[in-house]
Amino acid sequence: MNTKDLKEWFKNIDRYRTLIQNYNDTIAYYNDCLSSDDKIIELVKIEEEKLAVQTSRKNIAPQEIEYNLKSIGKKKAKEEVKKYTDKRNSLYRKMYLMDKALDYLDEINQEASFIIECNLIDKMKWKDIDISFNNKFRREKTIGYDRMQHLMYDGLKYMIEYILSIPYNKIDYSHEFKRECFRVYAYYDIK
């Protein structure tokens, strides 16, 4: 991982949030299908010749067709739930790591954290970052663009070191994000 990768992660935060919402909705749909036999049958629409039943008989019991539809549908729904859960967790892992790394950077260097949040999260222009940074941290001496960029890249390096130190098995997927930019809302939370 390098600073370019981390900047790309920050650039795609909104995309990650939307994808996580979509994946959660898809997982909920498939879990709903698993709880209802009618929805499972609707989920899988397979022609009779593709079913794993004996085709040499002329009469196939409807119960046999329904049973096969249910078993195939449940298998497919479980595969889809696992696929979308893995996709959601990989995106959530990135957001979790960014959030924790920003918390870590807040403790080490608030100036670098402020610049990273303004530039990469809020997508402010450098002249606006310069004004707000100097108003917040400097009273007498101002800081220039080059020094701010240097602070930002140092902060990104600290964040990468911290991200690489977190083991993947220690990630909490029930974590509630403090920053608004990382928060993922359910469909019913949006008003």
Side-chain angles (χ1 to χ4, degrees):
M1 172 180 260
N2 55 26
T3 56
K4 186 177 180 182
D5 295 335
L6 191 57
K7 285 174 77 174
E8 190 68 28
W9 285 10
F10 277 113
K11 184 179 175 184
N12 292 319
I13 286 177
D14 295 332
R15 187 173 149 258
Y16 293 160
R17 288 173 58 190
T18 305
L19 283 172
I20 287 173
Q21 288 172 353
N22 291 343
Y23 293 153
N24 283 337
D25 292 341
T26 305
I27 291 167
Y29 169 72
Y30 283 115
N31 283 331
D32 193 34
C33 287
L34 283 171
S35 65
S36 170
D37 289 340
D38 295 333
K39 289 183 181 179
I40 282 288
I41 292 173
E42 288 176 16
L43 178 66
V44 181
K45 295 186 177 185
I46 299 175
E47 300 169 12
E48 288 185 16
E49 64 260 7
K50 292 184 180 177
L51 291 175
V53 294
Q54 186 177 0
T55 56
S56 63
R57 295 186 315 204
K58 291 188 178 182
N59 296 331
I60 299 173
Q63 296 87 351
E64 189 175 0
I65 294 172
E66 185 176 327
Y67 173 78
N68 287 330
L69 281 173
K70 286 179 190 176
S71 63
I72 292 170
K74 285 181 181 179
K75 181 180 176 186
K76 179 179 173 157
K78 287 177 184 176
E79 289 172 356
E80 293 296 315
V81 165
K82 181 172 178 1
K83 178 177 83 173
Y84 285 110
T85 302
D86 291 344
K87 286 182 177 183
R88 180 197 60 197
N89 289 350
S90 70
L91 293 179
Y92 189 87
R93 183 181 305 123
K94 288 179 182 179
M95 291 177 61
Y96 177 84
L97 292 172
M98 285 189 290
D99 186 45
K100 288 297 179 185
L102 276 172
D103 289 344
Y104 171 74
L105 190 60
D106 275 342
E107 295 174 11
I108 291 179
N109 190 345
Q110 290 182 345
E111 294 178 348
S113 176
F114 179 79
I115 292 171
I116 288 171
E117 285 188 35
C118 288
N119 188 11
L120 299 177
I121 296 175
D122 297 336
K123 296 172 181 44
M124 292 172 62
K125 294 182 180 176
W126 280 108
K127 66 178 185 173
D128 298 330
I129 296 170
D130 184 30
I131 294 168
S132 58
F133 180 85
N134 287 323
N135 287 339
K136 184 170 183 175
F137 294 106
R138 305 280 193 248
R139 295 292 179 223
E140 295 150 10
K141 278 176 135 180
T142 60
I143 188 170
Y145 299 126
D146 294 335
R147 179 69 182 134
M148 282 193 302
Q149 285 184 340
H150 182 69
L151 272 172
M152 183 180 82
Y153 281 105
D154 283 346
L156 288 174
K157 288 177 186 174
Y158 287 131
M159 288 177 70
I160 290 170
E161 289 172 8
Y162 184 74
I163 285 172
L164 294 176
S165 70
I166 298 175
Y168 282 145
N169 61 350
K170 298 288 183 185
I171 293 177
D172 178 18
Y173 290 104
S174 62
H175 175 71
E176 290 292 326
F177 295 110
K178 296 175 192 170
R179 290 177 177 79
E180 193 67 30
C181 61
F182 293 116
R183 232 176 247 149
V184 177
Y185 297 101
Y187 176 73
Y188 49 83
D189 291 341
I190 302 171
K191 294 178 182 173

